[in-house]
């Protein structure tokens, strides 16, 4: 995880999902399902110095695009925006939505999203002495919610409670000023660095979202 | 089936959503380069036979030495490559002599001197297919000894990953970038610092039947009048920050990071100090002719003064050297003097050549400035000008001094990086 390649992987995943999203939405016009929600993420973070636990609250947005694959099942892709205190993440995931209850009435929705988070919104910082950057990691989010059809029969209201587990890495590297060409075999230091700090954040949140579906 | 299946799925989701902890977990790991001490018994090292190996690719070359048709290239702490340079357009890698802890070399009448940690070795290289170790002078480079126990300490570059920042990680480790002084004494980086010789950055040098070896603070004198039987005479304390040694006629010019020492070596067994020309701290190789010493100062990693210049020092009276003039440079590293032609390695900026017959107007007599030829050191040899840089070890035809012509480059696995 200490090379810059995971970032690449997440970016590839992002592109792949983007194209898949376009193709699925065009191919299955009629069977298309969309659910777009806004809400808050609530988590707890332990202060590194005092050891006290503080609440972490941030804005979260998720848009799910899917296709009906069975009477009660939608499979698709989700794309979002999560604003954690320390980092802004674009989660990109494969998702499933399952419906329980009679059609045309209020239903329960179950959901599951699995994918990665991109840190493309975070700037890399470079100085004479080193650089720091972020890399996204795995994202996993099961959810349950309510599905309330609107009067026109097209647009419905959704309310969701989800658990979101997002991995993200922060790197702080110091350049090797002495002998930047020196490479040590099997070294997990990127070339040109003499010191690298990797901070692995496993961000766990409860997410409350409200949105529309059609 | 449909509904009950969904039912249970839904329950799994509800339970999982409610049961997960929402506390962030943050873990930090530190990965850093460090020097791990390695303790070696000299008795073990002496017990190993040195077997000459077939040609090895150049990895991270240190000092370069020209001897007749041969180039000898040190691989710091590992040994010495021997290349046949009969045709400078096509040097051929011939042999490798594995010598642990080796940093420097010099050759006198077919006898190769090389350091092996605390010992000085002498090899007979008159027949390359039968290189023989003819003499080992024990316990001369004693600064490597830890105690008087026969155990030496060297440092091995290592990368560690721990959950603690470096100061809490490994008790005996030295943080790499913080410890420049250590790396000088630790033999390892002393090598990395001396790029080549015959050139201006040498640490071993031969003059009137004597071998002089300088480390960071001491010059050691060996009598090599009988080449196969070098005898250690004595150490001479020089003060700190010694970097290079350059012999000229019966004098030794020793570059330190504070200035230039001039030693009278007319009594070769016992050089005496004539003068110290002091300047501010900077990295400074030296070359000399009858009347002048040329010194480059550069701002670098260790030598943090922000000054890049070529100084011309008058040494007509070696007891009273004084600076005549100086010229601004970009980032000068090594330099070489061939007659009236001065070549300066300008680091990442390239390679410059000057006519220095009028030392007061060197800046007006620039011959060439090859910006593409990044370089850190050079050696004006009898057949070619050898230039060390990120392209490896390159040779130029300089028979027309004002127009360098590239002949060849020897590939190097880990070439120097110039910033």
């Amino acid at each position: 995880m200490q090379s810059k390649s995971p970032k690449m992987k997440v970016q590839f995943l992002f592109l792949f999902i983007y194209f898949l999203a376009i193709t699925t939405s065009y191919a299955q016009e009629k069977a298309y399902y969309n659910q777009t929600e806004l809400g808050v993420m609530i988590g707890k973070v332990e202060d590194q110095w005092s050891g006290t636990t503080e609440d972490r609250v941030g804005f979260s947005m998720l848009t799910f695009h899917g296709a009906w694959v069975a009477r009660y099942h939608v499979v698709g892709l989700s794309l979002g925006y999560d604003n954690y205190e320390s980092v802004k993440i674009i989660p990109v995931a494969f998702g499933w939505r399952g419906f329980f209850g009679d059609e045309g009435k209020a239903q329960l929705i179950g959901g599951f999203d699995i994918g990665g988070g991109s840190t493309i919104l975070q700037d890399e910082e470079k100085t004479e002495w080193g650089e720091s950057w972020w890399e996204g990691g795995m994202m996993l989010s099961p959810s349950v919610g309510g599905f309330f059809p609107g009067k026109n029969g097209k647009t419905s209201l959704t309310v969701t409670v989800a658990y979101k587990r997002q991995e993200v890495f922060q790197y702080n590297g110091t350049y090797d000023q002495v002998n930047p060409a020196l490479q040590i075999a099997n070294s997990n230091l990127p070339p040109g660095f003499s010191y690298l700090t990797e901070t692995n954040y496993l961000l766990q949140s409860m997410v409350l979202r409200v949105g529309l579906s059609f | 089936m449909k509904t009950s299946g969904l039912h249970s799925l839904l329950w799994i989701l509800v339970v999982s959503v409610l049961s997960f902890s929402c506390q962030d977990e943050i873990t930090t790991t530190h990965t850093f380069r460090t020097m791990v001490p390695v303790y070696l018994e000299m008795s073990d090292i002496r017990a190993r036979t040195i077997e000459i190996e077939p040609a090895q690719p150049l990895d991270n070359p240190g000092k370069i030495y020209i001897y007749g048709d041969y180039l000898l290239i040190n691989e710091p702490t590992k040994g010495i490559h021997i290349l046949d340079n009969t045709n400078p357009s096509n040097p051929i890698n011939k042999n490798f002599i594995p010598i642990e802890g080796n940093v420097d070399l010099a050759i006198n009448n077919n006898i190769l001197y090389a350091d092996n940690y605390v010992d000085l070795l002498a090899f007979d290289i008159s027949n390359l297919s039968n290189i023989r170790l003819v003499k080992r002078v024990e316990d001369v480079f004693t600064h490597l000894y830890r105690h008087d126990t026969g155990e030496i300490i060297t440092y091995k570059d290592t990368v560690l990953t721990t959950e603690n920042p470096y100061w809490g990680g490994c008790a005996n480790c030295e943080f790499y970038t913080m410890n420049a002084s250590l790396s000088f004494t630790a033999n390892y980086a002393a090598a990395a610092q001396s790029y080549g010789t015959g050139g201006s950055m040498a640490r071993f040098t031969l003059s009137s039947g004597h071998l002089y070896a300088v480390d960071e603070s001491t010059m050691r004198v060996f009598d090599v009048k009988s080449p196969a039987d070098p005898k250690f005479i004595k150490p001479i304390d020089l003060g700190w920050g010694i970097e290079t040694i350059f012999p000229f006629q019966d004098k030794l010019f020793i570059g330190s990071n504070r200035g230039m020492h001039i030693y009278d070596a007319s009594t070769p067994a016992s050089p005496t100090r004539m003068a110290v020309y002091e300047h501010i701290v900077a990295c400074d190789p030296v070359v000399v002719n009858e009347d002048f010493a040329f010194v480059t100062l550069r701002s670098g990693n260790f030598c943090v003064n922000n000054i890049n210049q070529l100084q011309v020092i008058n040494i007509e009276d070696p007891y009273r050297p004084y600076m005549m003039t100086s010229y601004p440079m970009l980032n000068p590293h090594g330099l070489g003097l061939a007659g009236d032609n001065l070549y300066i390695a300008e680091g990442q900026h390239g390679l410059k050549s000057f006519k220095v017959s009028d030392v007061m107007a060197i800046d007006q007599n620039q011959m060439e400035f090859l910006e593409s030829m990044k370089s850190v050191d050079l050696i004006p040899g009898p057949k070619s000008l050898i230039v060390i840089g990120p392209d490896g070890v390159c040779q130029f035809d300089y028979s027309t001094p004002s127009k360098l012509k590239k002949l060849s480059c020897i590939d190097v696995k880990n070439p120097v990086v110039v910033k």
Side-chain angles (χ1 to χ4, degrees):
Chain A
M1 275 309 207
Q2 281 170 330
S3 73
K4 291 194 175 183
S5 60
K7 194 175 197 174
M8 290 292 288
K9 278 181 210 154
V10 172
Q11 277 168 1
F12 272 120
L13 181 74
F14 180 87
L15 269 177
F16 176 71
I17 290 173
Y18 175 74
F19 284 115
L20 210 66
I22 287 174
T23 44
T24 46
S25 60
Y26 280 127
Q28 304 192 326
E29 200 73 48
K30 273 214 116 176
Y32 179 66
Y33 172 83
N34 176 302
Q35 182 182 340
T36 300
E37 296 176 317
L38 310 177
V40 288
M41 286 183 303
I42 301 157
K44 285 196 174 73
V45 58
E46 190 179 324
D47 186 281
Q48 298 224 320
W49 304 108
S50 65
T52 55
T53 307
E54 289 162 13
D55 287 335
R56 164 173 62 68
V57 180
F59 173 75
S60 175
M61 188 193 133
L62 188 76
T63 166
F64 174 85
H65 306 265
W68 290 96
V69 292
R71 198 171 163 196
Y72 294 104
H73 298 275
V74 181
V75 172
L77 304 146
S78 67
L79 184 67
Y81 170 78
D82 292 331
N83 190 358
Y84 295 93
E85 270 170 17
S86 44
V87 58
K88 297 175 177 63
I89 291 176
I90 294 185
V92 183
F94 293 99
W96 162 85
R97 297 290 179 272
F99 294 81
F100 177 71
D102 294 335
E103 283 171 79
K105 291 184 181 167
Q107 288 173 297
L108 280 174
I109 329 177
F112 195 85
D113 292 287
I114 182 162
S118 165
T119 53
I120 201 156
L121 300 177
Q122 292 300 124
D123 286 335
E124 256 178 52
E125 278 173 44
K126 278 192 188 184
T127 68
E128 193 186 339
W129 307 106
E131 56 189 277
S132 61
W133 69 95
W134 290 83
E135 286 178 21
M138 281 279 290
M139 192 279 292
L140 192 124
S141 176
S143 59
V144 285
F147 181 87
F148 307 101
K151 281 188 178 138
N152 63 10
K154 276 186 181 167
T155 313
S156 313
L157 179 75
T158 59
V159 178
T160 306
V161 182
Y163 161 78
K164 182 170 267 188
R165 180 189 172 92
Q166 171 75 60
E167 235 186 337
V168 61
F169 303 91
Q170 186 183 20
Y171 294 93
N172 257 305
T174 308
Y175 294 137
D176 187 348
Q177 305 284 345
V178 180
N179 192 353
L182 187 69
Q183 268 283 30
I184 295 172
N186 306 320
S187 155
N188 40 11
L189 268 181
F193 287 89
S194 65
Y195 199 111
L196 185 71
T197 305
E198 176 189 313
T199 307
N200 179 352
Y201 292 87
L202 179 61
L203 303 166
Q204 305 191 95
S205 321
M206 181 162 80
V207 195
L208 305 172
R209 289 189 301 254
V210 181
L212 297 174
S213 166
F214 56 85
Chain B
M1 176 256 145
K2 245 184 301 175
T3 33
S4 66
L6 263 178
H7 234 129
S8 46
L9 254 174
L10 205 63
W11 275 113
I12 290 168
L13 286 170
V14 170
V15 170
S16 59
V17 166
L18 295 178
S19 63
F20 281 121
S21 149
C22 285
Q23 171 106 24
D24 293 348
E25 288 168 23
I26 301 170
T27 50
T28 302
T29 57
H30 301 263
T31 302
F32 51 94
R33 185 176 291 170
T34 180
M35 286 179 158
V36 179
V38 177
Y39 302 97
L40 297 167
E41 289 292 338
M42 265 326 278
S43 54
D44 291 349
I45 289 160
R46 288 173 185 145
R48 289 174 211 161
T49 10
I50 295 174
E51 301 264 6
I52 308 305
E53 293 174 4
Q56 306 278 329
L58 272 65
D59 184 28
N60 181 17
K63 176 163 172 171
I64 297 181
Y65 200 90
I66 305 170
Y67 187 67
D69 281 339
Y70 295 99
L71 285 182
L72 286 92
I73 303 179
N74 156 258
E75 195 72 67
T77 74
K78 297 194 178 79
I80 296 168
H81 303 276
I82 301 179
L83 288 84
D84 182 346
N85 196 38
T86 312
N87 176 8
S89 304
N90 183 28
I92 301 160
N93 198 341
K94 303 289 272 188
N95 288 328
F96 182 70
I97 313 176
I99 306 167
E100 283 181 72
N102 175 249
V103 181
D104 214 328
L105 68 148
I107 302 171
N108 180 20
N109 279 332
N110 283 324
I111 301 293
L112 162 69
Y113 304 113
D115 55 327
N116 171 217
Y117 295 118
V118 299
D119 294 352
L120 179 78
L121 307 184
F123 292 88
D124 181 343
I125 57 164
S126 50
N127 178 3
L128 279 192
S129 54
N130 183 25
I131 296 170
R132 291 174 303 122
L133 177 64
V134 291
K135 172 96 184 187
R136 175 185 286 272
V137 189
E138 295 191 358
D139 297 336
V140 283
F141 304 110
T142 45
H143 62 291
L144 287 174
Y145 273 123
R146 234 174 108 233
H147 305 294
D148 299 327
T149 56
E151 191 179 56
I152 54 167
I153 180 168
T154 63
Y155 290 84
K156 185 175 182 284
D157 252 312
T158 312
V159 169
L160 292 182
T161 299
T162 74
E163 298 209 345
N164 304 309
Y166 66 85
W167 49 84
C170 164
N172 288 317
C173 294
E174 299 288 346
F175 182 47
Y176 189 79
T177 49
M178 301 263 290
N179 207 324
S181 63
L182 172 79
S183 34
F184 272 117
T185 47
N187 198 1
Y188 177 83
Q193 292 304 307
S194 69
Y195 295 109
T197 304
S200 54
M201 299 174 92
R203 298 170 80 87
F204 262 28
T205 202
L206 285 159
S207 176
S208 36
H210 288 73
L211 172 71
Y212 302 95
V214 291
D215 63 41
E216 202 188 36
S217 62
T218 311
M219 174 163 64
R220 292 181 169 78
V221 186
F222 296 85
D223 180 343
V224 292
K225 284 193 286 267
S226 159
D229 185 24
K231 288 182 207 65
F232 179 54
I233 301 177
K234 64 171 179 183
I236 296 171
D237 193 29
L238 296 174
W240 286 96
I242 300 303
E243 292 174 340
T244 63
I245 180 166
F246 190 89
F248 189 75
Q249 292 172 344
D250 57 358
K251 297 184 194 71
L252 296 172
F253 296 84
I254 296 167
S256 78
N257 58 22
R258 309 206 68 112
M260 181 181 69
H261 302 242
I262 303 176
Y263 274 75
D264 178 358
S266 51
T267 311
S270 184
T272 49
R273 180 184 290 179
M274 302 175 87
V276 179
Y277 168 76
E278 295 245 358
H279 54 62
I280 44 174
V281 176
C283 291
D284 55 339
V286 185
V287 290
V288 174
N289 64 19
E290 272 88 356
D291 299 325
F292 306 105
F294 300 90
V295 180
T296 54
L297 311 186
R298 86 184 139 92
S299 52
N301 301 315
F302 298 124
C303 318
V304 279
N305 279 294
N306 193 20
I307 190 160
N308 289 293
Q309 56 179 221
L310 169 70
Q311 291 191 346
V312 181
I313 294 156
N314 187 307
I315 51 163
E316 280 169 295
D317 178 356
Y319 290 96
R320 273 174 219 85
Y322 63 93
M323 184 171 77
M324 292 183 70
T325 183
S326 70
Y327 301 98
M329 290 283 147
L330 298 169
N331 192 221
H333 289 58
L335 73 172
L337 189 64
D340 275 343
N341 305 306
L342 180 70
Y343 298 92
I344 299 180
E346 276 272 35
Q348 61 161 336
H349 302 285
L351 178 65
K352 280 180 181 167
S353 59
F354 296 94
K355 266 271 180 273
V356 293
S357 30
D358 178 1
V359 293
M360 299 310 286
I362 291 177
D363 53 342
Q364 287 153 43
N365 292 304
Q366 180 171 315
M367 296 189 289
E368 266 191 299
F369 182 12
L370 303 171
E371 295 185 43
S372 60
M373 192 58 223
K374 297 178 181 178
S375 52
V376 293
D377 199 14
L378 36 86
I379 310 164
K383 296 177 167 193
S384 62
L385 177 73
I386 298 176
V387 177
I388 297 104
D391 294 344
V393 177
C394 297
Q395 299 192 62
F396 288 80
D397 178 354
Y398 69 132
S399 50
T400 312
S402 59
K403 191 101 194 87
L404 297 182
K405 207 168 81 197
K406 193 187 269 191
L407 297 173
S408 65
C409 282
I410 305 164
D411 276 344
V412 168
K413 260 199 281 179
N414 286 306
V416 294
V417 169
V418 286
K419 282 186 130 184

